[in-house]
Amino acid sequence: MLLPLACLAFVSGGAPEQWLRLPSGASAIPLDLIVEEGVQRVRMIGQGLAQDVAGYQSDPQTLFGDMKDICTRHIATTPAPDGSSVIVTLMDREVPFGLSDPEAIQYFEAFTIRAGACELDDAEFLH
């Protein structure tokens, strides 16, 4: 199920048109939330991704910290049961879900909810 942008006011603390300030200092705005059985996909547009303003390319830990922050904020307002997955996508432009755009910059991170917290889903990388 695809939920519209209005359903994602959780990350901005108010109107969905507001940018979310991430720990790195970068900003992102909610695009949509896709809910599938046991998986919640949080998709966001990152400001300045094409210019790498947050330094993600040279410091992947910064990117991970921002994506974990997005996941944590998401489950704070949209509880997910233990064992469920949250996939965070941060992209420089809107790309329709399920399609690719070779010119778009997209980062993905998979988390598993354990004891109410987002933990890296190591199993995602074993496929």
Side-chain angles (χ1 to χ4, degrees):
M1 168 183 0
L2 181 64
L3 300 177
L5 179 64
C7 293
L8 289 178
F10 73 90
V11 292
S12 61
E17 296 82 24
Q18 295 177 353
W19 290 89
L20 167 68
R21 178 66 70 180
L22 301 172
S24 69
S27 297
I29 193 166
L31 176 60
D32 53 22
L33 171 65
I34 301 168
V35 179
E36 301 170 327
E37 190 173 319
V39 179
Q40 296 180 28
R41 297 178 184 272
V42 179
R43 297 176 2 114
M44 308 205 48
I45 304 289
Q47 186 177 37
L49 279 184
Q51 298 80 22
D52 195 28
V53 295
Y56 294 152
Q57 292 180 19
S58 62
D59 186 4
Q61 280 304 115
T62 299
L63 172 61
F64 176 75
D66 283 355
M67 295 184 89
K68 185 171 183 178
D69 181 69
I70 292 168
C71 179
T72 300
R73 291 177 194 227
H74 170 66
I75 66 167
T77 59
T78 308
D82 273 10
S84 61
S85 295
V86 175
I87 310 295
V88 175
T89 304
L90 194 56
M91 60 190 99
D92 71 332
R93 68 188 81 172
E94 183 174 352
V95 177
F97 181 70
L99 299 179
S100 65
D101 178 346
E103 295 184 18
I105 296 170
Q106 296 186 75
Y107 296 107
F108 302 90
E109 193 63 80
F111 297 94
T112 299
I113 307 307
R114 291 193 181 95
C118 296
E119 293 186 12
L120 182 62
D121 184 352
D122 294 327
E124 276 298 310
F125 299 102
L126 300 177
H127 300 265

